[in-house]
mmCIF file of all heavy atoms in Angstrom:
data_model
loop_
_atom_site.group_PDB
_atom_site.id
_atom_site.type_symbol
_atom_site.label_atom_id
_atom_site.label_comp_id
_atom_site.label_asym_id
_atom_site.label_seq_id
_atom_site.Cartn_x
_atom_site.Cartn_y
_atom_site.Cartn_z
ATOM 1 N N THR A 405 -3.848 -14.657 2.317
ATOM 2 C CA THR A 405 -2.743 -14.161 1.531
ATOM 3 C C THR A 405 -1.425 -14.368 2.372
ATOM 4 O O THR A 405 -0.354 -14.777 1.786
ATOM 5 C CB THR A 405 -2.812 -12.629 1.217
ATOM 6 O OG1 THR A 405 -4.163 -12.396 0.623
ATOM 7 C CG2 THR A 405 -1.748 -12.177 0.302
ATOM 8 N N TYR A 406 -1.503 -14.197 3.640
ATOM 9 C CA TYR A 406 -0.332 -14.278 4.504
ATOM 10 C C TYR A 406 0.238 -15.673 4.593
ATOM 11 O O TYR A 406 1.403 -15.894 4.825
ATOM 12 C CB TYR A 406 -0.627 -13.721 5.898
ATOM 13 C CG TYR A 406 -0.648 -12.141 5.946
ATOM 14 C CD1 TYR A 406 -0.446 -11.390 4.805
ATOM 15 C CD2 TYR A 406 -0.880 -11.481 7.104
ATOM 16 C CE1 TYR A 406 -0.539 -10.054 4.821
ATOM 17 C CE2 TYR A 406 -0.886 -10.098 7.142
ATOM 18 C CZ TYR A 406 -0.745 -9.365 6.040
ATOM 19 O OH TYR A 406 -0.776 -7.971 6.094
ATOM 20 N N THR A 407 -0.652 -16.670 4.470
ATOM 21 C CA THR A 407 -0.196 -18.066 4.589
ATOM 22 C C THR A 407 0.690 -18.314 3.327
ATOM 23 O O THR A 407 1.717 -18.964 3.344
ATOM 24 C CB THR A 407 -1.272 -19.075 4.741
ATOM 25 O OG1 THR A 407 -2.115 -18.987 3.541
ATOM 26 C CG2 THR A 407 -2.107 -18.880 5.906
ATOM 27 N N HIS A 408 0.263 -17.810 2.145
ATOM 28 C CA HIS A 408 1.003 -17.981 0.963
ATOM 29 C C HIS A 408 2.326 -17.239 1.007
ATOM 30 O O HIS A 408 3.412 -17.792 0.558
ATOM 31 C CB HIS A 408 0.201 -17.526 -0.327
ATOM 32 C CG HIS A 408 -1.075 -18.218 -0.490
ATOM 33 N ND1 HIS A 408 -1.092 -19.556 -0.701
ATOM 34 C CD2 HIS A 408 -2.391 -17.883 -0.456
ATOM 35 C CE1 HIS A 408 -2.443 -19.957 -0.841
ATOM 36 N NE2 HIS A 408 -3.192 -18.927 -0.733
ATOM 37 N N LEU A 409 2.317 -15.995 1.468
ATOM 38 C CA LEU A 409 3.521 -15.213 1.609
ATOM 39 C C LEU A 409 4.549 -15.808 2.597
ATOM 40 O O LEU A 409 5.764 -15.872 2.298
ATOM 41 C CB LEU A 409 3.201 -13.757 2.074
ATOM 42 C CG LEU A 409 2.427 -12.938 0.996
ATOM 43 C CD1 LEU A 409 2.116 -11.572 1.670
ATOM 44 C CD2 LEU A 409 3.227 -12.620 -0.287
ATOM 45 N N LYS A 410 4.017 -16.307 3.706
ATOM 46 C CA LYS A 410 4.894 -16.953 4.679
ATOM 47 C C LYS A 410 5.515 -18.235 4.137
ATOM 48 O O LYS A 410 6.730 -18.461 4.285
ATOM 49 C CB LYS A 410 4.140 -17.258 5.997
ATOM 50 C CG LYS A 410 5.022 -17.667 7.123
ATOM 51 C CD LYS A 410 5.904 -16.593 7.642
ATOM 52 C CE LYS A 410 6.802 -16.919 8.743
ATOM 53 N NZ LYS A 410 7.788 -15.840 9.013
ATOM 54 N N ASN A 411 4.724 -18.996 3.408
ATOM 55 C CA ASN A 411 5.212 -20.187 2.757
ATOM 56 C C ASN A 411 6.350 -19.900 1.762
ATOM 57 O O ASN A 411 7.347 -20.602 1.688
ATOM 58 C CB ASN A 411 4.038 -20.980 2.044
ATOM 59 C CG ASN A 411 4.495 -22.173 1.308
ATOM 60 O OD1 ASN A 411 4.819 -22.140 0.133
ATOM 61 N ND2 ASN A 411 4.575 -23.305 2.078
ATOM 62 N N THR A 412 6.131 -18.798 1.027
ATOM 63 C CA THR A 412 7.140 -18.459 -0.107
ATOM 64 C C THR A 412 8.354 -17.803 0.532
ATOM 65 O O THR A 412 9.466 -18.074 0.128
ATOM 66 C CB THR A 412 6.438 -17.551 -1.046
ATOM 67 O OG1 THR A 412 5.256 -18.213 -1.622
ATOM 68 C CG2 THR A 412 7.428 -17.243 -2.210
ATOM 69 N N TYR A 413 8.113 -16.837 1.338
ATOM 70 C CA TYR A 413 9.248 -15.921 1.764
ATOM 71 C C TYR A 413 9.903 -16.162 3.087
ATOM 72 O O TYR A 413 10.794 -15.531 3.516
ATOM 73 C CB TYR A 413 8.766 -14.459 1.666
ATOM 74 C CG TYR A 413 8.421 -14.054 0.252
ATOM 75 C CD1 TYR A 413 7.133 -13.992 -0.220
ATOM 76 C CD2 TYR A 413 9.476 -13.864 -0.648
ATOM 77 C CE1 TYR A 413 6.923 -13.619 -1.534
ATOM 78 C CE2 TYR A 413 9.213 -13.540 -1.958
ATOM 79 C CZ TYR A 413 7.959 -13.441 -2.387
ATOM 80 O OH TYR A 413 7.644 -13.094 -3.707
ATOM 81 N N LYS A 414 9.305 -17.172 3.842
ATOM 82 C CA LYS A 414 9.905 -17.575 5.110
ATOM 83 C C LYS A 414 10.188 -16.427 6.048
ATOM 84 O O LYS A 414 9.318 -15.665 6.336
ATOM 85 C CB LYS A 414 11.182 -18.495 4.920
ATOM 86 C CG LYS A 414 10.901 -19.573 3.876
ATOM 87 C CD LYS A 414 9.914 -20.558 4.398
ATOM 88 C CE LYS A 414 9.941 -21.835 3.520
ATOM 89 N NZ LYS A 414 8.751 -22.004 2.703
ATOM 90 N N ASP A 415 11.477 -16.278 6.421
ATOM 91 C CA ASP A 415 11.846 -15.216 7.369
ATOM 92 C C ASP A 415 11.783 -13.821 6.847
ATOM 93 O O ASP A 415 11.817 -12.858 7.623
ATOM 94 C CB ASP A 415 13.175 -15.502 8.016
ATOM 95 C CG ASP A 415 13.235 -16.736 8.900
ATOM 96 O OD1 ASP A 415 12.133 -17.233 9.331
ATOM 97 O OD2 ASP A 415 14.324 -17.197 9.225
ATOM 98 N N ASN A 416 11.744 -13.689 5.514
ATOM 99 C CA ASN A 416 11.630 -12.353 4.940
ATOM 100 C C ASN A 416 10.232 -11.695 5.112
ATOM 101 O O ASN A 416 10.048 -10.575 4.886
ATOM 102 C CB ASN A 416 11.963 -12.341 3.393
ATOM 103 C CG ASN A 416 13.424 -12.440 3.191
ATOM 104 O OD1 ASN A 416 14.218 -11.989 4.074
ATOM 105 N ND2 ASN A 416 13.889 -12.823 2.033
ATOM 106 N N PHE A 417 9.215 -12.563 5.446
ATOM 107 C CA PHE A 417 7.962 -12.076 5.685
ATOM 108 C C PHE A 417 7.623 -12.348 7.129
ATOM 109 O O PHE A 417 7.665 -13.509 7.580
ATOM 110 C CB PHE A 417 6.848 -12.697 4.758
ATOM 111 C CG PHE A 417 5.525 -12.194 5.029
ATOM 112 C CD1 PHE A 417 5.146 -10.900 4.714
ATOM 113 C CD2 PHE A 417 4.468 -12.995 5.500
ATOM 114 C CE1 PHE A 417 3.915 -10.361 4.921
ATOM 115 C CE2 PHE A 417 3.135 -12.509 5.738
ATOM 116 C CZ PHE A 417 2.882 -11.207 5.487
ATOM 117 N N THR A 418 7.284 -11.280 7.920
ATOM 118 C CA THR A 418 7.107 -11.434 9.383
ATOM 119 C C THR A 418 5.666 -11.195 9.678
ATOM 120 O O THR A 418 5.070 -10.158 9.296
ATOM 121 C CB THR A 418 8.056 -10.436 10.137
ATOM 122 O OG1 THR A 418 9.370 -10.706 9.882
ATOM 123 C CG2 THR A 418 7.728 -10.470 11.650
ATOM 124 N N VAL A 419 5.095 -12.067 10.522
ATOM 125 C CA VAL A 419 3.797 -11.806 11.162
ATOM 126 C C VAL A 419 4.016 -11.996 12.657
ATOM 127 O O VAL A 419 4.460 -13.149 13.106
ATOM 128 C CB VAL A 419 2.683 -12.743 10.677
ATOM 129 C CG1 VAL A 419 1.313 -12.393 11.376
ATOM 130 C CG2 VAL A 419 2.498 -12.550 9.135
ATOM 131 N N LYS A 420 3.761 -10.985 13.430
ATOM 132 C CA LYS A 420 3.952 -11.118 14.901
ATOM 133 C C LYS A 420 2.603 -10.929 15.620
ATOM 134 O O LYS A 420 1.947 -9.892 15.324
ATOM 135 C CB LYS A 420 5.012 -10.084 15.439
ATOM 136 C CG LYS A 420 5.195 -10.147 16.924
ATOM 137 C CD LYS A 420 6.145 -9.105 17.420
ATOM 138 C CE LYS A 420 7.654 -9.585 17.345
ATOM 139 N NZ LYS A 420 8.550 -8.592 18.105
ATOM 140 N N GLY A 421 2.229 -11.805 16.495
ATOM 141 C CA GLY A 421 0.950 -11.742 17.165
ATOM 142 C C GLY A 421 1.181 -11.190 18.630
ATOM 143 O O GLY A 421 2.297 -11.521 19.225
ATOM 144 N N TYR A 422 0.265 -10.463 19.172
ATOM 145 C CA TYR A 422 0.346 -10.001 20.537
ATOM 146 C C TYR A 422 -0.868 -10.580 21.296
ATOM 147 O O TYR A 422 -1.978 -10.357 20.953
ATOM 148 C CB TYR A 422 0.298 -8.417 20.586
ATOM 149 C CG TYR A 422 1.522 -7.842 19.886
ATOM 150 C CD1 TYR A 422 1.351 -7.626 18.481
ATOM 151 C CD2 TYR A 422 2.696 -7.496 20.513
ATOM 152 C CE1 TYR A 422 2.524 -7.102 17.833
ATOM 153 C CE2 TYR A 422 3.723 -6.879 19.870
ATOM 154 C CZ TYR A 422 3.720 -6.770 18.512
ATOM 155 O OH TYR A 422 4.741 -6.171 17.780
ATOM 156 N N PHE A 423 -0.503 -11.260 22.419
ATOM 157 C CA PHE A 423 -1.534 -12.061 23.191
ATOM 158 C C PHE A 423 -1.633 -11.398 24.544
ATOM 159 O O PHE A 423 -0.639 -11.051 25.219
ATOM 160 C CB PHE A 423 -1.088 -13.518 23.316
ATOM 161 C CG PHE A 423 -1.073 -14.203 21.949
ATOM 162 C CD1 PHE A 423 0.043 -14.131 21.126
ATOM 163 C CD2 PHE A 423 -2.093 -14.952 21.566
ATOM 164 C CE1 PHE A 423 0.015 -14.814 19.944
ATOM 165 C CE2 PHE A 423 -2.217 -15.667 20.406
ATOM 166 C CZ PHE A 423 -1.029 -15.568 19.547
ATOM 167 N N LEU A 424 -2.878 -11.357 24.985
ATOM 168 C CA LEU A 424 -3.207 -10.889 26.387
ATOM 169 C C LEU A 424 -4.009 -12.035 26.951
ATOM 170 O O LEU A 424 -5.123 -12.242 26.580
ATOM 171 C CB LEU A 424 -3.957 -9.570 26.317
ATOM 172 C CG LEU A 424 -4.434 -8.928 27.694
ATOM 173 C CD1 LEU A 424 -3.130 -8.538 28.532
ATOM 174 C CD2 LEU A 424 -5.303 -7.762 27.488
ATOM 175 N N ASN A 425 -3.427 -12.576 28.025
ATOM 176 C CA ASN A 425 -4.090 -13.757 28.691
ATOM 177 C C ASN A 425 -4.465 -14.824 27.664
ATOM 178 O O ASN A 425 -5.652 -15.313 27.552
ATOM 179 C CB ASN A 425 -5.308 -13.311 29.477
ATOM 180 C CG ASN A 425 -4.932 -12.299 30.573
ATOM 181 O OD1 ASN A 425 -3.866 -12.401 31.176
ATOM 182 N ND2 ASN A 425 -5.808 -11.360 30.819
ATOM 183 N N ASP A 426 -3.549 -15.119 26.776
ATOM 184 C CA ASP A 426 -3.718 -16.116 25.720
ATOM 185 C C ASP A 426 -4.674 -15.774 24.664
ATOM 186 O O ASP A 426 -4.988 -16.537 23.717
ATOM 187 C CB ASP A 426 -4.127 -17.469 26.276
ATOM 188 C CG ASP A 426 -3.048 -18.048 27.172
ATOM 189 O OD1 ASP A 426 -1.879 -17.816 26.922
ATOM 190 O OD2 ASP A 426 -3.451 -18.716 28.197
ATOM 191 N N LYS A 427 -5.212 -14.525 24.556
ATOM 192 C CA LYS A 427 -6.111 -14.058 23.584
ATOM 193 C C LYS A 427 -5.373 -13.121 22.684
ATOM 194 O O LYS A 427 -4.701 -12.198 23.148
ATOM 195 C CB LYS A 427 -7.285 -13.331 24.149
ATOM 196 C CG LYS A 427 -8.299 -12.844 23.101
ATOM 197 C CD LYS A 427 -9.326 -11.879 23.684
ATOM 198 C CE LYS A 427 -10.225 -11.301 22.660
ATOM 199 N NZ LYS A 427 -11.059 -10.136 23.110
ATOM 200 N N LEU A 428 -5.521 -13.334 21.319
ATOM 201 C CA LEU A 428 -4.791 -12.507 20.361
ATOM 202 C C LEU A 428 -5.444 -11.145 20.301
ATOM 203 O O LEU A 428 -6.643 -11.022 20.071
ATOM 204 C CB LEU A 428 -4.839 -13.167 18.949
ATOM 205 C CG LEU A 428 -4.112 -12.504 17.824
ATOM 206 C CD1 LEU A 428 -2.625 -12.606 18.043
ATOM 207 C CD2 LEU A 428 -4.422 -13.140 16.494
ATOM 208 N N VAL A 429 -4.661 -10.121 20.606
ATOM 209 C CA VAL A 429 -5.256 -8.676 20.616
ATOM 210 C C VAL A 429 -4.611 -7.740 19.684
ATOM 211 O O VAL A 429 -4.959 -6.605 19.638
ATOM 212 C CB VAL A 429 -5.139 -8.147 22.084
ATOM 213 C CG1 VAL A 429 -6.025 -8.913 23.085
ATOM 214 C CG2 VAL A 429 -3.744 -8.066 22.601
ATOM 215 N N GLY A 430 -3.618 -8.265 18.970
ATOM 216 C CA GLY A 430 -2.977 -7.446 17.944
ATOM 217 C C GLY A 430 -2.041 -8.224 17.082
ATOM 218 O O GLY A 430 -1.619 -9.324 17.443
ATOM 219 N N PHE A 431 -1.651 -7.675 15.975
ATOM 220 C CA PHE A 431 -0.604 -8.235 15.148
ATOM 221 C C PHE A 431 0.045 -7.147 14.244
ATOM 222 O O PHE A 431 -0.545 -6.173 13.965
ATOM 223 C CB PHE A 431 -1.124 -9.469 14.324
ATOM 224 C CG PHE A 431 -1.923 -8.963 13.031
ATOM 225 C CD1 PHE A 431 -1.312 -8.771 11.790
ATOM 226 C CD2 PHE A 431 -3.300 -8.863 13.119
ATOM 227 C CE1 PHE A 431 -2.089 -8.379 10.743
ATOM 228 C CE2 PHE A 431 -4.083 -8.453 12.050
ATOM 229 C CZ PHE A 431 -3.419 -8.197 10.778
#
Side-chain angles (χ1 to χ4, degrees):
T405 307
Y406 284 1
T407 61
H408 300 297
L409 291 176
K410 191 65 181 171
N411 177 267
T412 303
Y413 294 105
K414 309 297 190 254
D415 290 344
N416 280 339
F417 182 65
T418 299
V419 180
K420 180 183 271 191
Y422 298 87
F423 294 83
L424 181 64
N425 302 324
D426 297 324
K427 182 192 174 192
L428 188 66
V429 293
F431 76 89

